[in-house]
Amino acid sequence: MADSHEMTINLVVLGKTQTGKSAAGNSLLGSSDFESRLSPSSVTTCCSLGRSGRILGLIRRNGCESALRVRVLDTPSYPHSALSKEQVRDMVRAALVQHFGEEGLHLALLVLRSDLPLCPDESNDTVQLIQELLGPTWKDFTAVLLTHADKAEEAGYNEETYLHSATSTLLSLLSSVQHKYIFLDNHNRIIKEERNIILRKLLNFIRKNNYQVLLKHRKE
């Protein structure tokens, strides 16, 4: 956090190939910092940090409006089509310390596709990665981003009916992270109002966790 008139939140997006991690990061930033495209192989091969401009109208501190800045760390998929699990894990761990070692990480966003069922074997890999990166309190610092929500909606699902029909694996995961989840459309560019709704939800998750951060002062 830079000063009393500005607040920065630090996020990392994690997930499997073609779940929409990079697109989700772009939506949060309101930019096209991260390469995002349909591909038969993993697109993201290294970690990169994106930064938003000053966002007004979302937070007030001490009775005054404060600006919000968002920083998002995009990461290679896990598992990856060209990198080993160990390579991805070590790369993400180093990037977290490099970029968030001073101010800390507010939330890890586990990105899943809402238009595909989540099976036990699929969730285990990424959840294990988050546990290894964040440690025993990972559940307090993890939220789920359910991408391609527009496709689920086209199939006739709203949030309530979707969760009623979801697999036990997904429901168990959402319960473990205290139901911190957000549905996200995967249009090329979400409108400002949609982005602000998503950012307000993320800010609420962070507030409920008492603005705590992970990884602070873990630089070696």
Side-chain angles (χ1 to χ4, degrees):
M1 297 183 190
D3 55 49
S4 60
H5 300 296
E6 191 170 286
M7 176 181 178
T8 299
I9 58 173
N10 296 323
L11 313 169
V12 59
V13 288
L14 301 161
K16 291 179 59 182
T17 292
Q18 294 295 308
T19 54
K21 293 189 317 302
S22 299
N26 287 334
S27 295
L28 295 172
L29 295 172
S31 70
S32 55
D33 286 27
F34 307 132
E35 183 180 6
S36 175
R37 57 183 168 84
L38 182 64
S39 172
S41 60
S42 303
V43 175
T44 305
T45 57
C46 60
C47 296
S48 59
L49 185 71
R51 299 174 176 86
S52 75
R54 299 174 80 249
I55 305 167
L56 300 174
L58 290 180
I59 51 176
R60 296 182 67 85
R61 306 177 76 186
N62 301 320
C64 300
E65 183 178 59
S66 295
L68 175 69
R69 290 186 185 271
V70 181
R71 300 202 302 164
V72 177
L73 182 67
D74 191 24
T75 65
S77 60
Y78 188 92
H80 195 278
S81 64
L83 302 170
S84 70
K85 290 183 178 180
E86 291 75 19
Q87 285 176 309
V88 174
R89 183 195 61 213
D90 293 346
M91 187 186 302
V92 175
R93 178 177 285 138
L96 285 170
V97 173
Q98 176 187 349
H99 296 297
F100 300 148
E102 293 295 333
E103 296 182 3
L105 174 73
H106 290 95
L107 271 179
L109 303 177
L110 171 55
V111 183
L112 303 172
R113 289 186 63 142
S114 65
D115 60 333
L116 298 175
L118 182 66
C119 301
D121 290 344
E122 293 180 293
S123 69
N124 288 344
D125 281 332
T126 313
V127 169
Q128 182 180 359
L129 172 65
I130 293 176
Q131 290 174 332
E132 291 180 7
L133 293 172
L134 304 188
T137 59
W138 70 274
K139 296 176 182 178
D140 296 327
F141 294 90
T142 301
V144 175
L145 272 185
L146 292 159
T147 60
H148 298 79
D150 45 316
K151 293 186 178 180
E153 188 175 336
E154 289 171 5
Y157 291 100
N158 58 29
E159 183 174 327
E160 181 179 355
T161 57
Y162 178 88
L163 293 175
H164 183 73
S165 304
T167 65
S168 59
T169 302
L170 176 59
L171 295 177
S172 176
L173 174 61
L174 297 182
S175 177
S176 70
V177 297
Q178 298 105 48
H179 295 95
K180 298 192 297 293
Y181 64 87
I182 295 173
F183 285 90
L184 179 67
D185 291 349
N186 267 63
H187 299 133
N188 287 334
R189 186 174 289 274
I190 63 173
I191 61 175
K192 179 181 177 182
E193 289 75 12
E194 291 176 324
R195 178 190 180 211
N196 286 351
I197 289 171
I198 294 167
L199 290 177
R200 283 193 183 97
K201 289 180 179 179
L202 292 176
L203 285 166
N204 188 47
F205 296 157
I206 292 168
R207 178 184 59 80
K208 286 184 176 179
N209 201 31
N210 299 312
Y211 299 99
Q212 294 182 88
V213 293
L214 273 180
L215 309 168
K216 197 170 183 180
H217 305 313
R218 260 172 49 177
K219 283 193 174 182
E220 296 178 358

